[in-house]
Amino acid sequence: MAQTEFAPWNDPEAKPLIQFKNVTKRFGAFTAIDDLTQDIYAQEFFALLGPSGCGKTTMMRMLAGFENPTEGQILLSGQNMAEVPPNKRAVNMMFQSYALFPHLSVWDNIAFGLRRARMPKPEIDARVDEMLRLTRLEKFAKRKPHQISGGQRQRVALARSLAKAPKLLLLDEPLGALDAKLRQDTQFELMDIQEKTGTTFVIVTHDQEEAMTVASRVAVMDEGRIVQVATPAEIYEAPNTVYVADFIGDVNIIEGAATPSGDGYDIAWAEGQAPFHAKTQTKLSNGQRCYLAIRPEKIGIATEKPEGADNTVQGKIIDIAYLGNLSTYHVELPGGKMIKAQTANTRRLSRRALTWEDDVWLSWTNTGSVVLDR
Amino acid sequence: MRRFSWFNATSLTLGFAFLYIPMIILIIFSFNASELVTVWAGFSTRWYGELLGNEAFLDAAWVTLQVAVMSSTIATVLGTMAATVMVRGGRFMGRTLFSGMIYAPLVMPEVITGLSLLLLFIGIGLDRGVLTIVLAHTTFSMCYVSVVVSSRLVSFDRSLEEAALDLGCSPFEAFRLVTLPIIAPAVISGWLLAFTLSLDDLVIASFTAGPSATTLPIKIFSSIRLGVSPEINALSTIMIAIVTVGVLTASIVSKRASVAQQRDEQAAARAT
Ligand SMILES: Nc1ncnc2c1ncn2[C@@H]1O[C@H](COP(=O)(O)OP(=O)(O)O)[C@@H](O)[C@H]1O
Ligand SMILES: [Mg+2]
């Protein structure tokens, strides 16, 4: 994608734009954000991902200035933000509820922030028109928010937050109300805007595909903590916990006991079955309980036992989910463990060799799985 | 469709008759040509003409109007501020007590409100006149405004104000540019309510009015002790008209606003 790799988080010289330093946020006795420390760099597209109620919106609201941390500090360009009110921050937020002004037209909603900044009239006109073009809302400029559809309202909210070209833009589930096609278009538009303007984006989503598409880094959250922060590819290929592996995409988790062997471990997963082998950097003690995480698409499925495969196991097809481009086979292993294996449907359906109740062989390589200790 | 029932029709007619026949009679007799209030002698607008020549009534009308405009305006400003603090102020010490105290004048007997204000004005040596009536009316109509405005504010989406702050407004600008325009219908109907209340108040005004300033209700009340004149009928008819217009406007404004609000909320619900 990018010509030179954009990875300021690996550069010890780089100055972060946002720093969360041991931030804790409590609402009464309830801890919404729990001792969170995290740097976000300028021009990043930082995605917060996690189940509902894990504290994503709370993090955004602290960045925008609507909530103050109970403990710890938030720095923006090195400056402590504790005493800075929301209207004095070079930050704009797109609200999960849109929060469009019902008494103003679409045009005036978008112009609102520019007028507050005392921008000259011709510049406001030009900027608003540009935003309308970008979000394809030209035809609706004169309408009031209640006269347009949910998806259009979402785009107005997006245009309004983009209009001031802030240093930092916070998007709280910005594309939830859009249908799949428009959502994809808008995702690409967002990335385009990001590349053109160099704005730093923090985006909340609970759609993992969206996070994977747009983000430079993804942070997976759980109950007020960040469990893992990494590039989309890393987080998919090398999750650090079962929670992350399970949250991002589909995964098979096989629990077992580890025995060091070669450059990895043998993992005994069931009585009377050959152990699976996995290469890994993870350090485990002899006999430690661990989890083998394998993505369905990394598992081959065949009627004959494949020659020379690293790991093989026989099972029976219980169910087949046909997804158009892909098919997912649910295979029962000896002992009742269910495993999902996915193949691309390069052939027509009628010529597919595998069907229900077939005995099949599953196989994957030593590097196809990830060993996790929790 | 419900079937027509004689019982329902009769009770409806009786109820409305009970409520409105006295007023209708008054209005009819205000157009009576005769000097005698109870004898019909043909249609005439004579009493309306005489009214225009009656200095005392015109003065009283002018005072009443001044008082109503000033007191309802001040009450609207104060009542809106009180409602904002009560709904928005968050939890502070004694909040329940404060909101209870704002609404207390709603149930307080007017005689007591009037008497206590009279004692206050005498105590601080304020001469009774237009100013004291304005103050008194502001005191009791403010709580009505506050009730109307806070019931609107309760359902007001806070994130709209946050969005305004986010886009660079100071808290005051956010209130002026976003909150106020949205709650304006409630504020206007609060003003109209206060205006109407001030216009027809007799009890509190009689306690706080002085020889220099008399309101219309006081004037009417004192002149009918000397016997009802057709002139009073004409005056009362005009007041009925003004109050009716005020109340109708207030209810239309708030009805419209609640329809618009419902529509916006439904639209918002569809969005999520
Ligand atoms: N103002 C508040 N008062 C009390 N609890 C709150 C408040 N705001 C958020 N919470 C709680 O904090 C948790 C995190 O909320 P939020 O950040 O909105 O989650 P999400 O990740 O779904 O956006 C939730 O359990 C929520 O109930
Ligand atoms: Mg949220």
Side-chain angles (χ1 to χ4, degrees):
Chain A
M1 230 173 38
Q3 296 83 358
T4 53
E5 205 190 347
F6 174 74
W9 50 90
N10 288 333
D11 176 5
E13 297 286 293
K15 291 256 182 306
L17 177 69
I18 306 167
Q19 290 167 281
F20 281 85
K21 286 189 169 171
N22 302 95
V23 172
T24 296
K25 176 70 192 176
R26 292 193 197 91
F27 295 107
F30 178 80
T31 306
I33 297 291
D34 192 4
D35 192 24
L36 185 140
T37 298
Q38 178 63 45
D39 290 348
I40 300 172
Y41 294 85
Q43 312 204 355
E44 261 205 83
F45 209 129
F46 193 86
L48 291 172
L49 196 57
S52 188
C54 69
K56 306 180 297 290
T57 298
T58 305
M59 259 183 90
M60 298 286 236
R61 290 176 58 80
M62 287 196 289
L63 279 173
F66 302 128
E67 308 279 1
N68 265 321
T70 315
E71 283 161 30
Q73 290 183 335
I74 298 175
L75 309 186
L76 199 66
S77 313
Q79 186 198 357
N80 186 354
M81 296 310 276
E83 298 305 320
V84 185
N87 50 323
K88 298 275 159 55
R89 299 189 182 196
V91 175
N92 283 138
M93 173 153 168
M94 177 187 162
F95 288 72
Q96 198 171 357
S97 62
Y98 316 154
L100 298 181
F101 304 129
H103 59 300
L104 299 179
S105 68
V106 166
W107 204 96
D108 289 323
N109 262 283
I110 300 173
F112 192 91
L114 304 174
R115 293 203 172 119
R116 301 281 76 68
R118 310 257 174 277
M119 193 188 253
K121 180 99 180 43
E123 278 174 50
I124 293 182
D125 291 351
R127 182 73 183 153
V128 173
D129 289 341
E130 188 189 336
M131 288 298 118
L132 286 170
R133 232 186 347 270
L134 188 73
T135 48
R136 292 185 234 154
L137 286 165
E138 295 106 318
K139 274 189 282 189
F140 308 103
K142 291 209 171 58
R143 302 246 190 119
K144 290 280 179 66
H146 66 86
Q147 293 165 323
I148 55 179
S149 76
Q152 288 159 351
R153 245 173 261 148
Q154 200 162 43
R155 270 141 60 202
V156 178
L158 185 62
R160 188 179 68 179
S161 58
L162 281 170
K164 286 184 89 173
K167 236 190 339 187
L168 173 61
L169 192 56
L170 309 171
L171 308 175
D172 198 349
E173 309 212 1
L175 312 178
L178 306 186
D179 51 55
K181 179 80 181 69
L182 190 55
R183 176 191 292 228
Q184 223 168 40
D185 288 353
T186 315
Q187 284 168 0
F188 286 115
E189 262 168 43
L190 279 181
M191 290 190 284
D192 208 39
I193 292 167
Q194 208 268 351
E195 250 162 54
K196 275 193 205 131
T197 61
T199 305
T200 308
F201 282 69
V202 178
I203 181 172
V204 165
T205 170
H206 56 228
D207 174 357
Q208 49 105 359
E209 229 173 274
E210 185 168 292
M212 306 291 281
T213 313
V214 298
S216 62
R217 280 194 300 168
V218 177
V220 180
M221 292 184 68
D222 182 27
E223 294 184 349
R225 297 162 185 272
I226 292 183
V227 188
Q228 187 175 11
V229 186
T231 61
E234 252 173 46
I235 220 155
Y236 188 79
E237 300 293 344
N240 65 0
T241 57
V242 172
Y243 177 84
V244 174
D246 207 24
F247 199 83
I248 309 277
D250 224 352
V251 73
N252 296 294
I253 303 287
I254 300 172
E255 199 180 337
T259 317
S261 131
D263 50 2
Y265 295 90
D266 280 336
I267 290 152
W269 59 281
E271 290 285 325
Q273 294 287 329
F276 295 134
H277 186 78
K279 270 192 192 172
T280 181
Q281 307 288 327
T282 316
K283 292 279 168 280
L284 299 171
S285 55
N286 196 354
Q288 188 179 336
R289 289 223 71 73
C290 65
Y291 306 87
L292 207 55
I294 321 166
R295 301 283 178 198
E297 74 276 8
K298 300 227 167 26
I299 301 181
I301 183 165
T303 44
E304 304 293 322
K305 181 168 181 170
E307 289 302 315
D310 295 335
N311 297 284
T312 53
V313 62
Q314 200 177 20
K316 181 190 292 238
I317 296 180
I318 298 297
D319 202 3
I320 305 173
Y322 175 70
L323 306 171
N325 54 342
L326 301 170
S327 285
T328 304
Y329 298 89
H330 295 249
V331 177
E332 187 179 335
L333 301 190
K337 175 83 191 160
M338 294 295 292
I339 294 287
K340 280 179 269 185
Q342 206 166 51
T343 55
N345 291 328
T346 47
R347 290 159 165 257
R348 294 291 295 272
L349 196 58
S350 53
R351 300 178 50 194
R352 212 169 45 186
L354 303 167
T355 184
W356 285 268
E357 299 294 315
D358 278 0
D359 284 321
V360 288
W361 285 91
L362 301 179
S363 62
W364 61 90
T365 64
N366 287 339
T367 51
S369 60
V370 181
V371 180
L372 301 169
D373 53 4
R374 62 195 161 88
Chain B
M1 198 58 195
R2 207 170 290 167
R3 256 185 340 111
F4 179 82
S5 134
W6 279 110
F7 177 75
N8 286 350
T10 316
S11 30
L12 196 70
T13 315
L14 278 179
F16 272 100
F18 193 76
L19 281 173
Y20 288 104
I21 281 182
M23 274 192 240
I24 292 170
I25 290 176
L26 186 146
I27 294 171
I28 291 172
F29 275 99
S30 76
F31 293 104
N32 191 353
S34 161
E35 300 248 354
L36 297 169
V37 178
T38 46
V39 181
W40 183 255
F43 179 87
S44 147
T45 52
R46 167 183 168 198
W47 302 114
Y48 289 88
E50 301 236 328
L51 203 56
L52 286 179
N54 189 330
E55 289 274 326
F57 274 137
L58 288 183
D59 282 349
W62 175 233
V63 169
T64 310
L65 194 66
Q66 276 178 301
V67 168
V69 170
M70 283 195 277
S71 70
S72 56
T73 307
I74 303 172
T76 304
V77 173
L78 293 179
T80 305
M81 278 163 53
T84 312
V85 173
M86 285 305 143
V87 177
R88 291 301 165 69
R91 312 247 126 236
F92 58 86
M93 270 279 287
R95 179 175 175 276
T96 320
L97 183 68
F98 270 113
S99 60
M101 275 164 65
I102 286 187
Y103 302 140
L106 284 176
V107 291
M108 194 70 76
E110 290 193 330
V111 180
I112 294 181
T113 313
L115 185 62
S116 56
L117 283 164
L118 175 64
L119 292 179
L120 173 73
F121 294 144
I122 292 173
I124 61 174
L126 203 55
D127 272 344
R128 278 172 292 151
V130 172
L131 177 65
T132 49
I133 314 175
V134 169
L135 290 178
H137 280 184
T138 304
T139 315
F140 88 93
S141 55
M142 183 191 124
C143 55
Y144 289 87
V145 176
S146 166
V147 169
V148 174
V149 173
S150 53
S151 70
R152 175 65 187 89
L153 275 177
V154 165
S155 64
F156 184 88
D157 181 5
R158 284 248 36 196
S159 63
L160 292 179
E161 270 171 16
E162 288 179 341
L165 293 177
D166 190 65
L167 293 165
C169 282
S170 66
F172 177 72
E173 276 179 317
F175 183 80
R176 186 170 62 85
L177 294 170
V178 173
T179 315
L180 200 54
I182 296 171
I183 64 165
V187 174
I188 292 170
S189 58
W191 186 89
L192 284 167
L193 190 61
F195 183 83
T196 316
L197 285 170
S198 164
L199 213 57
D200 65 17
D201 166 69
L202 172 65
V203 179
I204 293 176
S206 4
F207 276 102
T208 51
S212 64
T214 313
T215 65
L216 216 42
I218 298 176
K219 191 78 202 161
I220 295 172
F221 190 68
S222 56
S223 63
I224 55 161
R225 277 187 291 195
L226 310 172
V228 183
S229 78
E231 229 174 340
I232 297 286
N233 283 349
L235 184 59
S236 308
T237 304
I238 294 174
M239 285 189 66
I240 290 174
I242 294 176
V243 172
T244 310
V245 169
V247 170
L248 277 183
T249 318
S251 62
I252 290 172
V253 166
S254 65
K255 175 78 188 161
R256 282 232 184 109
S258 77
V259 168
Q261 191 193 338
Q262 240 173 17
R263 183 194 58 199
D264 289 356
E265 272 160 17
Q266 276 166 1
R270 268 202 305 276
T272 48

